[in-house]
Amino acid sequence: MHELGLCASIVDAIENRAGEQPVAKVRVRVGRLHHVHPEAFDQSFAIAAMGTVAADAAAELVLLPVAARCTSCGAQWDGDEIPLACPECGAVEVEVVGGDELVLESIEYRG
């Protein structure tokens, strides 16, 4: 379950930014190329956050699509996987331009 390692890194980033301030909620954007499963993410975040300022914090996961561009015709599209060919012209010269993001977008602190 690679989600636990991913969540441990996220909690490290939260602790670096939050210091001693208790965290109520975080929002994380993750590209589909990371193959993160929402249920596994929720469980892993809870485990990784135990004993930290993020303990009991809600973690909102936003999954981002794989974005691709055809280098032959210039078409762009989004999907769930790495494309094999351009849906417009059929060319296999496809460049992945998004979907591998991992961004700690926001932290809300407890009042």
Side-chain angles (χ1 to χ4, degrees):
M1 177 162 55
H2 73 284
E3 285 87 355
L4 187 56
L6 187 76
C7 287
S9 295
I10 292 167
V11 170
D12 286 345
I14 292 167
E15 288 191 302
N16 286 337
R17 292 188 181 142
E20 298 295 318
Q21 207 168 2
V23 175
K25 182 180 178 181
V26 297
R27 181 179 170 117
V28 180
R29 294 184 312 154
V30 179
R32 292 216 180 259
L33 291 176
H34 287 285
H35 301 286
V36 171
H37 299 284
E39 298 82 20
F41 178 86
D42 291 342
Q43 292 174 352
S44 296
F45 185 84
I47 291 168
M50 283 183 192
T52 73
V53 295
D56 300 319
E60 180 183 353
L61 175 65
V62 178
L63 292 174
L64 303 172
V66 176
R69 184 179 73 80
C70 177
T71 58
S72 293
C73 75
Q76 294 187 356
W77 67 96
D78 293 338
D80 290 333
E81 297 291 331
I82 295 176
L84 299 176
C86 174
E88 297 294 321
C89 72
V92 294
E93 293 83 18
V94 174
E95 177 182 27
V96 175
V97 294
D100 62 346
E101 300 88 349
L102 176 58
V103 177
L104 175 57
E105 185 174 273
S106 66
I107 301 173
E108 291 180 25
Y109 299 100
R110 294 191 193 279

